[in-house]
Short mmCIF file of all heavy atoms in Angstrom, two decimals:
data_model
loop_
_atom_site.label_atom_id
_atom_site.label_comp_id
_atom_site.label_asym_id
_atom_site.label_seq_id
_atom_site.Cartn_x
_atom_site.Cartn_y
_atom_site.Cartn_z
N PHE A 1 -10.53 -7.60 2.68
CA PHE A 1 -11.71 -8.45 2.81
C PHE A 1 -11.48 -9.40 3.99
O PHE A 1 -10.45 -10.07 4.04
CB PHE A 1 -11.93 -9.29 1.55
CG PHE A 1 -12.44 -8.50 0.37
CD1 PHE A 1 -11.56 -7.84 -0.47
CD2 PHE A 1 -13.80 -8.43 0.11
CE1 PHE A 1 -12.02 -7.11 -1.55
CE2 PHE A 1 -14.27 -7.71 -0.97
CZ PHE A 1 -13.38 -7.04 -1.81
N PHE A 2 -12.42 -9.43 4.92
CA PHE A 2 -12.33 -10.34 6.05
C PHE A 2 -13.26 -11.52 5.83
O PHE A 2 -14.36 -11.36 5.30
CB PHE A 2 -12.72 -9.61 7.35
CG PHE A 2 -11.69 -8.64 7.83
CD1 PHE A 2 -11.58 -7.39 7.24
CD2 PHE A 2 -10.82 -8.97 8.86
CE1 PHE A 2 -10.61 -6.47 7.68
CE2 PHE A 2 -9.86 -8.07 9.31
CZ PHE A 2 -9.76 -6.82 8.71
N ALA A 3 -12.81 -12.71 6.23
CA ALA A 3 -13.61 -13.91 6.07
C ALA A 3 -13.67 -14.66 7.39
O ALA A 3 -12.80 -14.50 8.26
CB ALA A 3 -13.02 -14.81 4.99
N CYS A 4 -14.69 -15.49 7.52
CA CYS A 4 -14.86 -16.26 8.75
C CYS A 4 -15.35 -17.67 8.38
O CYS A 4 -16.41 -17.82 7.77
CB CYS A 4 -15.88 -15.57 9.65
SG CYS A 4 -16.23 -16.47 11.16
N PRO A 5 -14.61 -18.71 8.74
CA PRO A 5 -15.03 -20.08 8.40
C PRO A 5 -16.15 -20.60 9.29
O PRO A 5 -16.80 -21.57 8.96
CB PRO A 5 -13.75 -20.89 8.59
CG PRO A 5 -12.97 -20.13 9.60
CD PRO A 5 -13.29 -18.68 9.37
N ASP A 6 -16.36 -19.94 10.43
CA ASP A 6 -17.38 -20.40 11.38
C ASP A 6 -18.02 -19.18 12.03
O ASP A 6 -17.42 -18.51 12.88
CB ASP A 6 -16.72 -21.28 12.45
CG ASP A 6 -17.75 -21.90 13.39
OD1 ASP A 6 -18.89 -21.40 13.46
OD2 ASP A 6 -17.40 -22.88 14.06
N LEU A 7 -19.26 -18.88 11.65
CA LEU A 7 -19.93 -17.69 12.17
C LEU A 7 -20.28 -17.80 13.65
O LEU A 7 -20.48 -16.80 14.33
CB LEU A 7 -21.20 -17.41 11.36
CG LEU A 7 -20.98 -16.98 9.92
CD1 LEU A 7 -22.31 -16.84 9.19
CD2 LEU A 7 -20.22 -15.66 9.86
N VAL A 8 -20.35 -19.02 14.16
CA VAL A 8 -20.64 -19.20 15.58
C VAL A 8 -19.42 -18.78 16.40
O VAL A 8 -19.53 -18.05 17.40
CB VAL A 8 -21.02 -20.66 15.88
CG1 VAL A 8 -21.20 -20.85 17.39
CG2 VAL A 8 -22.29 -21.04 15.14
N GLN A 9 -18.24 -19.25 15.99
CA GLN A 9 -17.01 -18.88 16.69
C GLN A 9 -16.61 -17.44 16.38
O GLN A 9 -15.95 -16.78 17.17
CB GLN A 9 -15.87 -19.82 16.30
CG GLN A 9 -16.10 -21.27 16.69
CD GLN A 9 -16.15 -21.45 18.19
OE1 GLN A 9 -15.45 -20.77 18.94
NE2 GLN A 9 -16.99 -22.37 18.66
N ALA A 10 -17.02 -16.97 15.18
CA ALA A 10 -16.75 -15.59 14.74
C ALA A 10 -15.26 -15.23 14.77
O ALA A 10 -14.86 -14.19 15.26
CB ALA A 10 -17.54 -14.60 15.58
N GLN A 11 -14.46 -16.14 14.25
CA GLN A 11 -13.03 -15.88 14.16
C GLN A 11 -12.71 -15.29 12.79
O GLN A 11 -12.40 -16.00 11.84
CB GLN A 11 -12.23 -17.16 14.41
CG GLN A 11 -12.43 -17.72 15.81
CD GLN A 11 -11.71 -19.04 16.00
OE1 GLN A 11 -11.36 -19.72 15.05
NE2 GLN A 11 -11.50 -19.40 17.26
N TRP A 12 -12.79 -13.97 12.71
CA TRP A 12 -12.60 -13.29 11.43
C TRP A 12 -11.12 -13.03 11.18
O TRP A 12 -10.35 -12.77 12.09
CB TRP A 12 -13.36 -11.95 11.44
CG TRP A 12 -14.85 -12.13 11.45
CD1 TRP A 12 -15.65 -12.29 12.55
CD2 TRP A 12 -15.70 -12.18 10.32
NE1 TRP A 12 -16.96 -12.44 12.17
CE2 TRP A 12 -17.03 -12.38 10.79
CE3 TRP A 12 -15.52 -12.08 8.93
CZ2 TRP A 12 -18.13 -12.47 9.96
CZ3 TRP A 12 -16.60 -12.17 8.10
CH2 TRP A 12 -17.89 -12.37 8.60
N GLY A 13 -10.75 -13.10 9.92
CA GLY A 13 -9.36 -12.82 9.54
C GLY A 13 -9.31 -12.26 8.13
O GLY A 13 -10.24 -12.45 7.33
N ILE A 14 -8.24 -11.57 7.79
CA ILE A 14 -8.10 -11.01 6.44
C ILE A 14 -7.88 -12.13 5.44
O ILE A 14 -6.97 -12.95 5.58
CB ILE A 14 -6.91 -10.02 6.38
CG1 ILE A 14 -7.17 -8.81 7.29
CG2 ILE A 14 -6.68 -9.54 4.95
CD1 ILE A 14 -6.03 -7.82 7.33
N ALA A 15 -8.73 -12.19 4.44
CA ALA A 15 -8.62 -13.21 3.40
C ALA A 15 -8.00 -12.67 2.12
O ALA A 15 -7.43 -13.41 1.33
CB ALA A 15 -10.00 -13.78 3.09
N TRP A 16 -8.11 -11.36 1.92
CA TRP A 16 -7.70 -10.80 0.62
C TRP A 16 -7.49 -9.31 0.79
O TRP A 16 -8.27 -8.62 1.45
CB TRP A 16 -8.80 -11.07 -0.40
CG TRP A 16 -8.49 -10.74 -1.83
CD1 TRP A 16 -9.05 -9.75 -2.59
CD2 TRP A 16 -7.59 -11.42 -2.70
NE1 TRP A 16 -8.55 -9.78 -3.86
CE2 TRP A 16 -7.65 -10.79 -3.96
CE3 TRP A 16 -6.72 -12.50 -2.53
CZ2 TRP A 16 -6.88 -11.20 -5.05
CZ3 TRP A 16 -5.96 -12.90 -3.61
CH2 TRP A 16 -6.04 -12.28 -4.85
N THR A 17 -6.45 -8.78 0.21
CA THR A 17 -6.18 -7.35 0.20
C THR A 17 -6.03 -6.90 -1.24
O THR A 17 -5.45 -7.61 -2.06
CB THR A 17 -4.90 -7.03 0.99
OG1 THR A 17 -5.03 -7.49 2.34
CG2 THR A 17 -4.63 -5.53 1.03
N VAL A 18 -6.57 -5.74 -1.54
CA VAL A 18 -6.50 -5.24 -2.91
C VAL A 18 -6.27 -3.74 -2.91
O VAL A 18 -6.75 -3.03 -2.02
CB VAL A 18 -7.80 -5.58 -3.70
CG1 VAL A 18 -9.01 -4.93 -3.05
CG2 VAL A 18 -7.69 -5.13 -5.16
N THR A 19 -5.49 -3.27 -3.86
CA THR A 19 -5.32 -1.84 -4.08
C THR A 19 -6.21 -1.45 -5.25
O THR A 19 -6.07 -2.00 -6.34
CB THR A 19 -3.85 -1.50 -4.39
OG1 THR A 19 -3.04 -1.91 -3.29
CG2 THR A 19 -3.67 0.00 -4.60
N VAL A 20 -7.14 -0.53 -5.02
CA VAL A 20 -8.08 -0.13 -6.06
C VAL A 20 -7.88 1.34 -6.40
O VAL A 20 -7.25 2.09 -5.65
CB VAL A 20 -9.55 -0.33 -5.60
CG1 VAL A 20 -9.83 -1.79 -5.30
CG2 VAL A 20 -9.87 0.54 -4.39
N ASP A 21 -8.40 1.73 -7.54
CA ASP A 21 -8.48 3.13 -7.91
C ASP A 21 -9.82 3.65 -7.40
O ASP A 21 -10.86 3.20 -7.87
CB ASP A 21 -8.38 3.27 -9.43
CG ASP A 21 -8.46 4.73 -9.89
OD1 ASP A 21 -8.77 5.60 -9.06
OD2 ASP A 21 -8.23 4.98 -11.08
N PRO A 22 -9.85 4.57 -6.42
CA PRO A 22 -11.14 5.04 -5.87
C PRO A 22 -12.08 5.59 -6.93
O PRO A 22 -13.29 5.59 -6.74
CB PRO A 22 -10.72 6.13 -4.88
CG PRO A 22 -9.34 5.74 -4.46
CD PRO A 22 -8.71 5.15 -5.69
N LEU A 23 -11.54 6.03 -8.08
CA LEU A 23 -12.38 6.61 -9.12
C LEU A 23 -13.14 5.57 -9.93
O LEU A 23 -14.05 5.90 -10.68
CB LEU A 23 -11.53 7.48 -10.06
CG LEU A 23 -10.85 8.69 -9.41
CD1 LEU A 23 -10.00 9.43 -10.44
CD2 LEU A 23 -11.88 9.63 -8.80
N THR A 24 -12.75 4.28 -9.80
CA THR A 24 -13.44 3.25 -10.58
C THR A 24 -14.82 2.93 -10.02
O THR A 24 -15.68 2.42 -10.73
CB THR A 24 -12.63 1.95 -10.62
OG1 THR A 24 -12.40 1.48 -9.29
CG2 THR A 24 -11.28 2.18 -11.31
N LEU A 25 -15.03 3.18 -8.72
CA LEU A 25 -16.33 3.06 -8.05
C LEU A 25 -16.80 1.62 -7.86
O LEU A 25 -17.91 1.40 -7.37
CB LEU A 25 -17.42 3.86 -8.79
CG LEU A 25 -17.11 5.33 -9.06
CD1 LEU A 25 -18.30 5.99 -9.75
CD2 LEU A 25 -16.74 6.06 -7.77
N ALA A 26 -16.01 0.63 -8.23
CA ALA A 26 -16.43 -0.77 -8.02
C ALA A 26 -15.22 -1.69 -8.13
O ALA A 26 -14.18 -1.34 -8.69
CB ALA A 26 -17.49 -1.17 -9.04
N TYR A 27 -15.39 -2.91 -7.59
CA TYR A 27 -14.34 -3.93 -7.66
C TYR A 27 -15.01 -5.29 -7.59
O TYR A 27 -15.98 -5.48 -6.86
CB TYR A 27 -13.34 -3.78 -6.51
CG TYR A 27 -12.35 -4.91 -6.41
CD1 TYR A 27 -11.31 -5.03 -7.33
CD2 TYR A 27 -12.46 -5.86 -5.40
CE1 TYR A 27 -10.40 -6.08 -7.24
CE2 TYR A 27 -11.56 -6.90 -5.30
CZ TYR A 27 -10.52 -7.01 -6.23
OH TYR A 27 -9.63 -8.06 -6.15
N SER A 28 -14.48 -6.24 -8.36
CA SER A 28 -15.03 -7.60 -8.38
C SER A 28 -13.93 -8.59 -8.06
O SER A 28 -12.80 -8.47 -8.56
CB SER A 28 -15.62 -7.89 -9.77
OG SER A 28 -16.10 -9.22 -9.83
#
């Protein structure tokens, strides 16, 4: 998941990484 504290500057960075089971079809 990438996040950006300022959309004008558009400095995106990874905020969160998760390992999911592709068969679950969703993640919260």
Side-chain angles (χ1 to χ4, degrees):
F1 287 86
F2 287 78
C4 178
D6 185 342
L7 292 175
V8 176
Q9 297 295 325
Q11 296 176 341
W12 292 86
I14 296 178
W16 188 248
T17 301
V18 61
T19 301
V20 299
D21 180 351
L23 297 178
T24 59
L25 307 182
Y27 172 73
S28 178

